[in-house]
Amino acid sequence: MSIDLRAAAVEYLQARRARGYLSRDHAWLISSFLDGLAAQNATTITRPTVLAFAIAPIGTGRAWQAFRMSTIRGFAAYVHGLAPDVAQRATPRENGV
């Protein structure tokens, strides 16, 4: 199954806003992440692409990297719920739970 990741991002951000989340950074970070996927001709969200995005650019602080990772993990979880083949789970669970 294939989905439009840009449309999914809009839906995800609307759902977050409806729940009271107001982070302006989420919109541009997700858009930037999707731009990176498009530049790689990638159609799926994978752990390596999320990690590479989170730690870029080199030299950023760990708090900023953690925020970038958290933002994309939330979006990836949302997409995984819509189409599991389009987004890997952001954090593999060792015990299967």
Side-chain angles (χ1 to χ4, degrees), residues 4-26:
D4 180 353
L5 290 175
R6 300 253 179 218
V10 170
E11 293 168 6
Y12 172 70
L13 292 167
Q14 288 173 341
R16 284 184 54 82
R17 288 184 192 108
R19 291 188 204 107
Y21 293 100
L22 301 175
S23 177
R24 290 171 283 162
D25 291 328
H26 280 75

Side-chain angles (χ1 to χ4, degrees), residues 1-3 43-44 82-86:
M1 177 177 170
S2 179
I3 64 168
T43 58
T44 59
L82 297 174
D85 59 323
V86 177

Side-chain angles (χ1 to χ4, degrees), residues 42-94:
T43 58
T44 59
I45 300 172
T46 63
R47 290 181 201 103
T49 58
V50 173
L51 182 59
F53 176 79
I55 62 172
I58 302 299
T60 57
R62 289 184 188 242
W64 181 242
Q65 292 173 353
F67 181 72
R68 288 169 65 96
M69 174 71 87
S70 175
T71 299
I72 304 306
R73 275 181 46 185
F75 175 61
Y78 176 81
V79 172
H80 182 78
L82 297 174
D85 59 323
V86 177
Q88 293 178 340
R89 289 171 72 163
T91 306
R93 296 184 180 173
E94 298 297 325

